[in-house]
Amino acid sequence: MAVRLELRKDAGKLDPRSGPWIRRKQVGRVLGPPDPSAVAALVDRRGKVLGHGLYSPESAIVLRMIQWGERAPEPRWLEARVEAALLARRRLGLGVDGQTTGYREVNSEGDGLPGLVVDRFGAWRVLQVTTAPMAARIDSILAALGGAAQGLDGCIVLGPRSAAEREGFPAFERVLDASGGPGDAPEALRWLEHGQVVTAPAPPAQKTGAYHDQRDNRRAFASLVAGLPAPHLGTEPGAILDLGCHVGGFAIAAARASTRRVVAVDQSAAVLDYVVRNAAANGLEPGRVSSVRADMFGSLDAPELAGPFSAIVFDPPKIASSRRDLGRATGAMARTSATLLRRLEPGGVLALCSCSHHLGVAELDRAMLEAGERSGRPCSRVAVWGPGPDHPVWPCHVEGEYLRVAVYQRRE
Ligand SMILES: C[S@@+](CC[C@H](N)C(=O)[O-])C[C@H]1O[C@@H](n2cnc3c(N)ncnc32)[C@H](O)[C@@H]1O
């Protein structure tokens, strides 16, 4: 039996511009079984079909629209969208020139596939499924992605516990070989990013394994650093600090583009081992990139962190899950940024990153204003960066907008 979700009278105006998420509180009645493998119709109180979506019977977001209008999606909609996403990456030149073999192949709503993320890491593919309807379709997704023909060694498929609890499906983690049979996880993921060799612990250590969304920002930061002169004639320029470094992407790109010393900081000992390993794999002499284990929101009192620094990137994890968290999150960003500004040379740059949807450029500006006042070192914003083109955003889906990097320069 087809599933129909009937809107409440007070559900508000829903159309292709109002975004793809339909919340439980907007739905009056569900007609049909609680089946997440169904493509459900969204109907108004007169029975008019407004569109079709993926049904999450147990979630607060009960329907994610995949098509508006009366017409139902064609039977191969899933396969067609997966194929289109893969083709779009090739058209962007990703995975084509041999210089970048790590990139996002599917970006959830941005590719019309809500609840599905697929990241490529050289010969491995990592899938992350975060909704019940995508978990119910995993075999079709794997078949549509293909495997052996694309030179893959295997695939890791993750249904993380937090999403599983929210959506009501059993959490899972599977490793498949290239032919789709059970396989063994790799010791590490390995790929190239703009010619830079990167290795990272295999998931589920962090997300899908690494942060491809910052790929082009790591390159932009490196070229900014390469052009920064010493603050005074005849002096040596300061070092570079990568705070929240994961496996050292910003640190190593900056070290390769300059002759400066780079310090990489993270709280995870496991990823810091990879920073050293990645520096060596890229031909950097021992000691050019050093690693320090520290809490980015703590006092940062290790001697290596005293500065002066000519460039700093501060890339925390998601620290604001909702609007309610904003005051606490901007306060924490401001406190750490004030500490960092005291160690930044005049004319030096600080790249402040947010991967929290609610923490946008306006909130980053506010944190920097407060940091400037606390430290007595005012700054001006000189650039704003976002995710790379392999992280498309569906314009009506405001929640899909999350990564912002605001770059500030210390005024003299
Ligand atoms: C968004 S990721 C950074 C990505 C990284 N900059 C890159 O380009 O790949 C955030 C990082 O912060 C680290 N982290 C989380 N909480 C931290 C804390 N309190 N202190 C230091 N590092 C922390 C995580 O281990 C993770 O590597």
Side-chain angles (χ1 to χ4, degrees), residues 32-372:
D35 175 8
S37 65
V39 168
L42 181 70
V43 300
D44 68 13
R45 283 162 46 90
R46 285 168 302 165
K48 181 175 182 233
V49 176
L50 303 176
H52 292 81
L54 301 182
Y55 177 34
S56 285
E58 294 188 28
S59 172
I61 301 169
V62 70
L63 192 70
R64 290 172 175 85
M65 302 305 289
I66 53 169
Q67 188 166 301
W68 290 93
E70 271 183 64
R71 200 163 50 87
E74 52 132 345
R76 279 193 81 258
W77 71 270
L78 178 73
E79 290 78 2
R81 289 187 185 188
V82 169
E83 286 158 16
L86 297 182
L87 179 61
R89 301 326 186 259
R90 283 200 293 284
R91 286 187 167 148
L92 291 168
L94 292 163
V96 172
D97 65 0
Q99 292 298 296
T100 294
T101 59
Y103 54 93
R104 179 151 293 187
E105 295 185 309
V106 175
N107 192 43
S108 204
E109 278 85 353
D111 283 298
L113 292 160
L116 176 66
V117 158
V118 182
D119 278 350
R120 184 72 180 256
F121 298 93
W124 280 81
R125 179 174 269 155
V126 179
L127 276 74
Q128 194 179 52
V129 164
T130 52
T131 63
M134 279 303 179
R137 289 171 170 81
I138 196 66
D139 292 337
S140 310
I141 294 166
L142 286 166
L145 284 166
Q150 298 166 39
L152 285 173
D153 287 347
C155 179
I156 300 171
V157 192
L158 306 168
R161 179 136 27 94
S162 53
E165 283 169 2
R166 202 173 49 237
E167 286 272 323
F169 67 86
F172 58 88
E173 188 188 326
R174 282 157 63 190
V175 181
L176 305 174
D177 65 19
S179 61
D184 295 318
E187 182 264 319
L189 298 172
R190 288 188 181 72
W191 70 100
L192 287 174
E193 174 171 302
H194 296 309
Q196 182 170 316
V197 181
V198 195
T199 56
Q206 283 197 22
K207 304 267 181 117
T208 60
Y211 302 91
H212 289 327
D213 51 359
Q214 291 271 33
R215 181 182 57 251
D216 294 340
N217 301 335
R218 290 187 275 260
R219 179 155 79 170
F221 181 74
S223 62
L224 201 59
V225 165
L228 278 178
H232 305 293
L233 220 58
T235 60
E236 282 292 306
I240 294 158
L241 176 62
D242 179 357
L243 187 58
C245 63
H246 191 235
V247 295
F250 278 98
I252 292 160
R256 291 176 79 216
S258 70
T259 53
R260 299 174 191 205
R261 222 170 33 77
V262 183
V263 187
V265 178
D266 207 281
Q267 73 173 4
S268 158
V271 295
L272 290 176
D273 285 346
Y274 281 82
V275 174
V276 176
R277 193 165 149 173
N278 285 329
N282 285 285
L284 293 165
E285 63 277 22
R288 266 292 295 297
V289 179
S290 57
S291 66
V292 174
R293 188 172 182 199
D295 177 4
M296 56 170 68
F297 298 111
S299 56
L300 298 173
D301 52 7
E304 301 92 321
L305 305 182
F309 295 107
S310 60
I312 299 174
V313 54
F314 173 21
D315 190 3
K318 183 173 176 179
I319 53 173
S321 300
S322 72
R323 289 208 159 275
R324 279 194 304 278
D325 300 333
L326 271 184
R328 188 188 44 75
T330 48
M333 296 285 272
R335 276 190 297 281
T336 295
S337 298
T339 305
L340 298 175
L341 284 180
R342 290 189 193 101
R343 303 171 194 190
L344 188 67
E345 289 172 352
V349 293
L350 170 56
L352 198 55
C353 311
S354 162
C355 56
S356 309
H357 161 66
H358 296 284
L359 201 64
V361 174
E363 288 72 26
L364 294 177
D365 279 353
R366 211 173 308 139
M368 279 307 282
L369 277 176
E370 187 182 330

Side-chain angles (χ1 to χ4, degrees), residues 371-383:
E373 282 163 19
R374 280 170 175 259
S375 62
R377 308 270 161 86
C379 292
S380 294
R381 174 155 47 77
V382 293

